[in-house]
Amino acid sequence: MEPAKERFVCIHGHFYQPPRENPWLEAVEIQDSAFPYHDWNERITAECYASNSASRILDGDSRVMDITSNYAKISFNFGPTVLSWMELAAPNIYNAILAADKQSMEWRSGHGSAIAQVYNHMIMPLANARDKRTQVVWGIADFQKRFGRFPEGMWLAETAVDLETLAILAEQGVKYTVLAPHQAGAYRALGAEEWTEAEIDPTRAYLCKLPSGRSITLFFYDGPISRAVAFENLLDSGEALAGRLVGGFTEDRDWPQLMHIATDGETYGHHQKFGDMALAACLNHIEGNNLARLTNYGEYLELCPPAMEVMIRERTSWSCAHGVERWNSDCGCSGGIQGWNQQWRTPLRASLDWLRDRLAKTFEQKGRELFNDPWQARDAYIEVILDRGMEQAERFLAQHASRELSKDEKIMALKMLEMQRHAMLMYTSCGWFFDELSGLETVQVIDYASRALQLSEGLAEGNVEKAFLDRLKEAKSNIPDHHDGLWIYQNFVLPIRLDLVKVGAHYAFSSLYEEYEEHSQIYCYAIAKEEYTKLSTPDAVMAMGRIHIASEIAEEETCLTFCVMRIGSHDFKGGVKEVCDAGDYATLREEMSGAFDKGLYTDLVTLMDNHFGTHSFSLINLFSDEQRKIINQIIRQNMEDEIASYQEMYERSRPLMEFVKETRVPVPHIFMAVAQPALNEALRHAMSEDEVDADQVRRIVSQIRTWGVAIEEPGTEYFMRRRMEEMSGQLVQDPSDLKLIAKMQKNMDLLNEIPVNVVLWQMQNDYYQLAKTVYPEYLSRSAAGEEGAGIWLDAFRRLGETLRFNLGAVLPQA
């Protein structure tokens, strides 16, 4: 074999985000810590997942020579929970990931670079056998639905492993998984008798023979290089990474060597900025210089079957020196804050284990009345999770029900299966990974427990929730104000817990600000208007109606009557009741309308109490995104005059302050406090004009520099980036638009004068697409003497220079 063919390199990226969805909405709500993005999924997608789908290869002057997909050249897994979000929220990136796997199959002898993952990142050695099986079955089914093929390999959460888990993988047809080197116990040549307990050589595949008689292949990644990538800044240079990988080969080995590493995929762009470009440069350097053959695990396994077998160290993982205690006890891992402990981990897991077993007993007992086999039905329920249409749920029930079910029995069956889904989601590993019980990730798993409890109401015997909370109270927070698990449940979890009445309250209040169709969708709830009336004056607005609400998850439904009002700018009151009588509503509407028309707002509150018991709902009952949208609207309406006042004060004071500055007398702080919002607002307004006044922008920028005013980042960068991306998207639709090219050039020239580093990623992607498709066409038209083609080429080339392209390298043949 040629040197490049007997030396293989494989880089594995474990791309994963925990499920962040509100369990009652099945959607990710706004997360302020991810600003300027909506939530952390969106932010990490922009910083990492998108970047790796179109990563830059740069020349010596940091100009773009090529744009390439890293996914097609590495090995990777994506967690099902983040892919399900991405399919809807970032479909272009989602499709790019799927396309990269197909491309890798063409390059790697029919072996795709993507592998599956246990469904919601459960720590498998700490799970019971039934949950382990469902995690594997669901992970495989999710992969098959998305990638259109069976997965050869499967990633274990935190590489946490035991023999039972490996046996289930092998039983389900998975060929291999990837582990850390310290998880190998001993090894020997196939057929040999003596075991060796020395440190394992990671450059080959190993066979693990299982008690069941089956076997599975294990790959143990290179630990030192993987750590250097993740924690030691090896990604500062793509060539350095390539050199480190290639430097691991040795002439002493007489087998085809596989140098391979594994890290969190988020390392490449999120944890380390521009890490995706370092990865792309590394792959390009290895491939371009024939230093080794890039491969994935499936291809290597076909070419080089295991000649050695291995025994594993059970109940170990890649990120805990104590086995799997990071998710089970106060082991000290992640202990970053002095004086804190993780003693809460043990009672939290014990509470969830108790709840899991109680709900499993209920599911098994009640499930026998409805299903042929309750646990087989649970394994197959992934079919419904992957297709939430009512028709799919009906097909599923027809296949797995023991008899024809009534409408109420169908609802019960779906609720029990959803109860089981949330009982597994509550074991998502991130709930134990960090320091604090009241942290975002830990509260999220308790949210799932609360949803499972709610779904069990009327099914489980006794007060299960109280018994659960008695146990959860034993988990103590490191933050005195947060007390314990019971306090966290009452103050962080219960406030977001929903039922159909609260969904109706959301609909009612949001209808004050937006017009709903006769049939509308709010997250996973379908809503139909029976009757609706809205009245408004300059001082107040009121809405009344009757609506029908149905959950698209469990098919529960109800009919509600509501009345909500806003008096002044922010005084919201409302009532909702689970009654839908037309005559009762007619009386309500007549009485409330009469009082509203007369401006008798105090009487309205009394009437509302008469009809609803109390006006117990307010703006706080809106879901986070809609609540934020309405509050921002109220703030904008009330702040417009104040912002205008700031600008007026700034312009009035500026000449005097310029004189003060010339005399070297310190400029008063109050003037600087006025200048900051005035100039930032002026800059935003100037850059948002359809035809930007360049001179005006330059004046504002000059004043920003004169006074040393800080640009409000990252909001300003995000705003300007989105404006430019709109234009580049328009250019892709109509590449011949010379006016648009000129407009983009003008705006880019101005952006280069503003002290803001605008992310060019999407604009460069659009330009690259045009350079590959439209630019050659105009070259041919220009060569044929077509009038105007040369003008387009000059404008396009100049825009490319501004966007930092080496157009000659992108299209060397041109």
Side-chain angles (χ1 to χ4, degrees), residues 59 219 263 355 365 422 564 574 583-584 634 704 716:
D59 65 13
F219 292 94
T263 65
L355 179 59
Q365 290 176 342
H422 285 89
V564 295
D584 181 62
I634 294 169
I704 285 172
T716 299

Side-chain angles (χ1 to χ4, degrees), residues 352-365 375 416 419-420 422-423 426 448-449 451-457 459-460 464:
L352 297 182
D353 284 350
W354 178 88
L355 179 59
R356 173 199 63 198
D357 294 343
R358 281 297 302 268
L359 297 183
K361 181 180 178 181
T362 298
F363 178 70
E364 192 165 65
Q365 290 176 342
W375 298 110
M416 285 197 298
M419 174 184 75
Q420 282 297 304
H422 285 89
M426 71 188 186
Y448 289 125
R451 179 60 176 145
L453 280 163
Q454 184 186 38
L455 289 162
S456 75
E457 290 174 0
L459 301 172
V464 180

Side-chain angles (χ1 to χ4, degrees), residues 312-326:
I312 62 164
R313 299 184 190 277
E314 291 201 79
R315 294 174 67 89
T316 57
S317 65
W318 75 344
S319 57
C320 178
H322 315 93
V324 292
E325 292 309 298
R326 185 169 193 161

